[in-house]
Amino acid sequence: MQPHKILFAFLVLFACALPVAAQESVPGHAQDSAEDYAGMPPFTQSELERFLHDWPAFTGWAETRGEELDQSGNEDDWTREAATFVSGLGWDHERFFYVAHQCAVGISGLAMEEQGPAIMAELAEARKQIMADQTMTDEQKQQMLQMLEQSQGGMDGMQDMQEHVAPQELALIKSRQKDIRRVMQVEE
């Protein structure tokens, strides 16, 4: 798989998993999925500027804490500590993760707009190659086709998530796309 496709897959996973992984166990946290963000007001330009400034500090903190998480396995403690760290930066932790989520979804959506048709064509070609492969059993072909369908489903899910990015947020994301990609370490 080419690097831009691996990156795209990571972004999709990040956009889907961030709210759950980073917030689910935070005390007083009422959100259970990315769809629950729909009730939050759109982020502003000043929030985006603050996010661009603070995201590297959070990811640096998370990398060091992630090593401890891997050793302890206590995700509840880690998410409480993440909320405390983000609050120490002057954020309401739910708002910070909301802005992160919306940026990830927005950037992923923009990448899908750019790369989606090519990826869909490659998926169609892969289906043809699987079906024409004489070395695979029917069972192996079905397994491969199921994996392709799961990829397709992930892309469809990303399109659904994109609907939760408010137009004014998407405009801000587009206007600062290069900065968001740089800060979130997403290659173009």
Side-chain angles (χ1 to χ4, degrees), residues 3-19:
H4 72 278
K5 292 185 184 115
I6 293 169
L7 178 59
F8 179 75
F10 170 76
L11 277 173
V12 170
L13 290 173
F14 174 80
C16 295
L18 179 66

Side-chain angles (χ1 to χ4, degrees), residues 52 56 176-186:
L52 291 172
R176 297 300 304 272
Q177 183 175 177
K178 287 186 181 196
D179 294 323
I180 294 168
R181 287 178 182 270
R182 177 184 47 79
V183 167
M184 294 183 96
Q185 299 178 344
V186 176

Side-chain angles (χ1 to χ4, degrees), residues 27-41:
H29 188 270
Q31 294 171 318
D32 294 324
S33 72
E35 292 175 0
D36 292 325
Y37 283 135
M40 284 202 167

Side-chain angles (χ1 to χ4, degrees), residues 78-90:
W78 191 90
T79 54
R80 277 191 287 277
E81 290 176 25
T84 300
F85 180 82
V86 169
S87 295
L89 295 173

